[in-house]
């Protein structure tokens, strides 16, 4: 089942840890989650809205927690991360490549300069303001992936949180969606 939240145009405050969030309550789905994918469209509204500035996480009321973005490209070799301008992509745990170091993989930018494609979430559950060297092991320190929602009910309140953690340009959340696969609840059968 796909749930889309469009035409949001929510500004992500520049250099502000409090960021912005968008919440939606889903009901009537039934069953338990067996897989979830998240799509986002984030655009830069002016020069300097760099992808490496952004942190994003998805949470629900059932305790699920996934880090989608954690300052992509930041490492001991690059304290600022990637300078591309936005995202128009899908996060899936089964994607071939992790998003944190996407410039080391095959990647595409659309005409607006947004990263496109299907990517594994960052998954690195560390403070986004950590020393850049803390991100060096981003590909092996994935402890907050989308599978944290598996086994939970999709009937819940879902919140996407975004923050821009470095001074410069501003970005905005244009839209996002959840693609949730559930399995039916087991039933008692009397013979």
């Amino acid at each position: 089942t796909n749930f889309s939240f469009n035409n949001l145009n929510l500004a992500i405050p520049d250099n502000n840890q409090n960021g912005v969030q968008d919440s939606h309550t889903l009901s009537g789905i039934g069953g338990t989650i067996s897989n979830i994918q998240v799509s986002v469209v984030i655009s830069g509204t002016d020069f300097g809205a760099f992808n490496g500035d952004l942190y994003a996480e998805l949470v629900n009321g059932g305790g699920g927690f996934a880090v989608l973005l954690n300052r992509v490209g930041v490492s001991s070799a690059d304290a600022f991360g990637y300078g591309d301008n936005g995202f128009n992509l899908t996060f899936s745990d089964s994607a071939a490549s992790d998003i944190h170091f996407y410039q080391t993989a095959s990647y595409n930018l659309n005409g607006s300069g947004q990263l496109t494609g299907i990517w594994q979430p960052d998954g690195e559950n560390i403070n986004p303001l950590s020393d850049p060297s803390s991100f060096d092991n981003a590909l092996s320190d994935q402890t907050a992936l989308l599978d944290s929602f598996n086994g939970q009910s999709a009937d819940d309140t879902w919140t996407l949180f975004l923050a821009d953690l470095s001074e410069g340009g501003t970005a905005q959340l244009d839209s996002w969606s959840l693609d949730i696969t559930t399995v039916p609840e087991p039933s008692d059968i009397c013979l």
Side-chain angles (χ1 to χ4, degrees):
T1 307
N2 186 278
F3 302 91
S4 297
F5 317 110
N6 298 310
N7 302 313
L8 300 173
N9 303 322
L10 292 174
I12 304 168
D14 187 38
N15 197 26
N16 185 329
Q17 296 178 47
N18 295 323
V20 65
Q21 66 182 29
D22 187 54
S23 298
H24 299 273
T25 301
L26 307 180
S27 62
I29 303 165
T32 59
I33 297 170
S34 64
N35 188 50
I36 187 168
Q37 294 183 345
V38 181
S39 297
V40 297
V41 178
I42 299 170
S43 59
T45 58
D46 56 28
F47 178 74
F50 296 143
N51 289 352
D53 294 352
L54 298 176
Y55 174 85
E57 66 185 32
L58 179 69
V59 298
N60 71 355
F65 170 77
V67 175
L68 304 177
L69 300 169
N70 198 346
R71 312 227 25 230
V72 293
V74 168
S75 69
S76 56
D78 185 352
F80 298 103
Y82 297 149
D84 301 315
N85 196 7
F87 300 93
N88 188 344
L89 53 77
T90 298
F91 293 102
S92 171
D93 284 351
S94 62
S97 299
D98 176 274
I99 198 162
H100 192 82
F101 293 118
Y102 68 78
Q103 288 187 356
T104 64
S106 176
Y107 72 101
N108 292 306
L109 303 176
N110 66 17
S112 299
Q114 297 165 305
L115 178 66
T116 63
I118 301 175
W119 297 88
Q120 289 175 15
D122 199 302
E124 192 167 28
N125 188 17
I126 64 170
N127 184 329
L129 298 175
S130 297
D131 183 271
S133 65
S134 300
F135 293 89
D136 288 350
N137 294 320
L139 301 180
S140 60
D141 288 344
Q142 296 179 311
T143 60
L145 295 170
L146 292 167
D147 65 3
S148 73
F149 300 105
N150 290 354
Q152 297 181 10
S153 171
D155 293 338
D156 207 336
T157 299
W158 295 85
T159 301
L160 180 66
F161 170 82
L162 297 112
D164 180 323
L165 300 167
S166 184
E167 193 170 21
T170 57
Q172 73 179 20
L173 174 63
D174 297 325
S175 64
W176 67 288
S177 66
L178 293 169
D179 190 346
I180 300 173
T181 303
T182 60
V183 294
E185 292 289 338
S187 59
D188 292 330
I189 299 175
C190 297
L191 300 175

